[in-house]
Amino acid sequence: MLGAIGSGVVNGSEAPIGVFDSGFGGLTVARALRDQLPNEDMVYLGDTARSPYGTKSIGEVREYALECLDYLAGTGVKALVIACNSASSAVLRDARERYDMPVVDVILPAARRAVRATRTGRIGLICTTATATSGSYDDALVAVRDVELITQPCPLFVEYVEAGITSGPELMQAARDYLLPLREAEIDTLILGCTHYPLLAGVISYVVGDEVTLVSSAEECAREVFANLADSGLLHDEPRTPRLQFLTTGSPELFAGVGSRLMGGFVDRVEQIYPM
Ligand code: DGL
């Protein structure tokens, strides 16, 4: 247990937004939130001690994700953002009922945007193995007619991002292996169904071709958070310098190092909440 804290209560617009990911990928969502909601405080929790989630069973991911979300809910946040496709896939059904506050995931907003973007109905999805096997995007699109989803797990991409590799011959070869079948399948829209992947948008677009529209689950999720807070009267409207707090279950030094390398100085003070 993370020393947790219950299921949370409704908190007002002054309270921070809680953002959860298995590790670093959710920082792309946090950055999109910072850009789209610059007056909002944030508490970010990365379960780096137990990441990656994308290679684990859905049952295991579900257990870890709910534990982390319970913890965040207990810190007094006003909304929960599940900034991880693998975790969203594992808890999509329960999370909204479990917490007494808005809960936004990354799957539904990205699936909706892809449906709006496609002209041919041929949508590609790249994601972790956990997200692919969960079928969460297929479920999200099941009611949409004339859309075909072609799924390609890309397990090596997370490793490249976390090693700071976003270009170079090895990554290019992996990208060709994963993405050329999607290109041959004549997709016109590609969902970046893992929150690490916006950091590889350059190489992904280069390989699939710039005629393919990339849908970032991070950007779409941030838009959805704005809409959700606006509808619930929970936006913080006053200009201010927001407080960003970073929590990790693993090493704070590692988190600060990888986080600020990936995000360009955006991650500074990091606290550990669960010595493993
Ligand atoms: N960022 C996570 C996602 O969106 C993947 C990273 C991991 O495997 O933990 O699925």
Side-chain angles (χ1 to χ4, degrees):
M1 283 292 287
L2 287 168
I5 294 200
S7 65
V9 291
V10 178
N11 296 301
S13 61
E14 290 290 321
I17 300 171
V19 182
F20 160 63
D21 178 48
S22 60
F24 305 106
L27 291 170
T28 60
V29 178
R31 193 170 53 179
L33 286 168
R34 193 195 50 173
D35 291 346
Q36 294 183 33
L37 294 138
N39 293 325
E40 299 291 345
D41 292 344
M42 251 188 277
V43 183
Y44 180 102
L45 168 54
D47 191 10
T48 44
R50 299 183 292 198
S51 70
Y53 281 7
T55 52
K56 295 188 166 62
S57 73
I58 283 293
E60 208 176 347
V61 173
R62 189 172 176 286
E63 183 192 327
Y64 296 162
L66 289 177
E67 205 181 329
C68 291
L69 288 165
D70 284 353
Y71 182 91
L72 264 183
T75 64
V77 295
K78 64 182 172 187
L80 287 169
V81 179
I82 312 173
C84 173
N85 286 264
S86 310
S88 295
S89 299
V91 302
L92 209 52
R93 283 184 186 78
D94 347 36
R96 277 193 192 78
E97 284 152 32
R98 191 174 174 100
Y99 305 106
D100 197 8
M101 65 183 83
V103 178
V104 177
D105 68 89
V106 274
I107 310 269
L108 298 175
R112 262 201 307 269
R113 173 65 55 194
V115 169
R116 291 201 188 103
T118 186
R119 295 169 308 279
T120 62
R122 299 184 68 73
I123 299 174
L125 165 68
I126 53 173
C127 57
T128 65
T129 307
T131 298
T133 41
S134 75
S136 54
Y137 277 92
D138 301 87
D139 291 348
L141 293 170
V142 77
V144 184
R145 274 199 273 148
D146 304 326
V147 160
E148 191 182 345
L149 186 71
I150 301 131
T151 301
Q152 173 66 61
C154 305
L156 288 176
F157 277 178
V158 167
E159 287 177 36
Y160 281 117
V161 169
E162 295 202 354
I165 299 168
T166 55
S167 62
E170 261 186 49
L171 171 60
M172 192 64 79
Q173 190 52 50
R176 288 205 176 95
D177 293 344
Y178 290 142
L179 302 174
L180 288 181
L182 292 174
R183 201 183 149 126
E184 276 152 30
E186 296 185 338
I187 58 162
D188 76 341
T189 302
L190 179 61
I191 301 172
L192 308 184
C194 170
T195 50
H196 282 66
Y197 297 175
L199 294 159
L200 299 179
V203 69
I204 291 168
S205 186
Y206 181 72
V207 174
V208 291
D210 67 0
E211 66 280 10
V212 173
T213 304
L214 301 188
V215 174
S216 153
S217 53
E219 287 293 325
E220 297 311 321
C221 174
R223 264 191 257 267
E224 180 81 6
V225 173
F226 187 104
N228 215 304
L229 294 184
D231 291 348
S232 323
L234 284 174
L235 280 176
H236 184 90
D237 295 323
E238 298 301 316
R240 65 169 165 189
T241 305
R243 194 164 174 266
L244 307 179
Q245 193 186 354
F246 296 93
L247 308 174
T248 176
T249 54
S251 151
E253 293 77 25
L254 179 74
F255 190 94
V258 177
S260 52
R261 178 157 49 75
L262 295 176
M263 293 293 139
F266 166 44
V267 177
D268 48 14
R269 275 161 307 143
V270 183
E271 249 173 79
Q272 188 180 47
I273 56 163
Y274 183 41
M276 298 292 287

